[in-house]
Amino acid sequence: MISNPISVQSEQSLLDYNSFHINESSRFFCQVSETGQIQEALNLAKSQNLDVLVLGGGSNILLTKPFDGITIRISNKGIEVLETNDDHVILRVAAGENWHSFVEHCLENNFFGLENLSLIPGSVGAAPMQNIGAYGVEVGSTIVSVQYFDRAKEQFEHISAEDCKFAYRESIFKNTLKNSAIIWTVDFKLSRHAKPATGYGDIAALLAKQGISNPAPADVSRAVIEIRRSKLPDPAVLGNAGSFFKNPVISSADFEILKKECPEIPSYPAPDGLVKVPAGWLIEKAGWKGYRTANCGVHERQALVLVNHGSAKGSDILNLAKEIIEDVRQKFGIQLHPEVNII
Ligand code: EPU
């Protein structure tokens, strides 16, 4: 199928394309919404020896300098039903679809399983990349396969969910396929039967407070939206990229030592007998919650989120992140790792 030619801009500001609202430019910029346009954009990059930055919703990156290459923004759209029966539906969703709009579409059509992931900023294509997760659900558990453009083979490939190697904020797209796969569509298998996951403490507490004892998926979605709005800054108002750090996973022996010093520390079991500790708790305990420099800071209601108070450069936020990492390392002996992609 012949695609429409791409339109390439020079020296394009990326301000409107990243949720941190960092004003850095890209030497070249184009949006691709048709399959043939990916190849065209990559051919251009190859012929001019340009680095490539692939952008989805831009909600998980920190730009620290002008990008001296070509930014390719994935803008394809569409939600296709591949299979449907009384038990489940399989949907093929374009990477460029907005994540929360897709979750709303599922709720409206009684396709269940994504309600706990309501209001996560970003695009559908970014969801498998870092296996987005919130309130007890990870997206990997609803994905059956992913279609991506393989830059080395110069063709589209399908990969099964099993081969995606989903783990906490991890997938093959952040490891073996990093920089070589451009996610194009994602296939989800969703239930036709409501099975609300209300085990996460905050959700259970809010539903109980609202007197909802037998919640429908829409109730769970509303609860998640209310909790997120109460804790997390809206990127449209205050630039941020959600959790800046991953929650560190440590050995149970190290956790026991920590617990002796800080008996109140929250923790969650992780695979292989390891223990996950909330980075937000460590950062708050180290005294950073609500900390502010002239133009950036640590959010006052969730210490895991770094914010741009208006005119921050990416390097200001990166320097703040480094200070926090060093302080937490000195105070708790725990190494924090950014979840956000630093460019
Ligand atoms: N906590 C603090 N201080 C803080 C923040 C958290 O003490 O400033 C404590 C809380 O009291 C709670 C624990 O840490 O005991 C966990 O907090 P919360 O439920 O807010 O979750 P989180 O571990 O901080 C993770 C995800 C979020 C997701 C929530 C809810 C990561 C890196 N972050 O945060 O995801 O919304 O759980 O499931 O795993 C994102 O990735 O951008 C994101 C927002």
Side-chain angles (χ1 to χ4, degrees), residues 135 168-169 200 231 243 245 247 278 281 284 289 302-303:
Y135 307 103
Y168 169 63
R169 296 296 194 272
Y200 199 89
K231 282 193 179 176
S243 302
F245 304 100
N247 284 332
W281 187 91
E284 177 173 349
K289 196 170 188 171
Q302 166 55 290

Side-chain angles (χ1 to χ4, degrees), residues 5 60 110 155 184 193 199 212 231 237 269 276 304 306 337:
N60 204 41
N110 295 328
Q155 64 187 35
W184 190 246
H193 308 288
I212 302 173
K231 282 193 179 176
V237 179
K276 196 196 279 182
L304 201 45
L306 303 188
H337 296 282

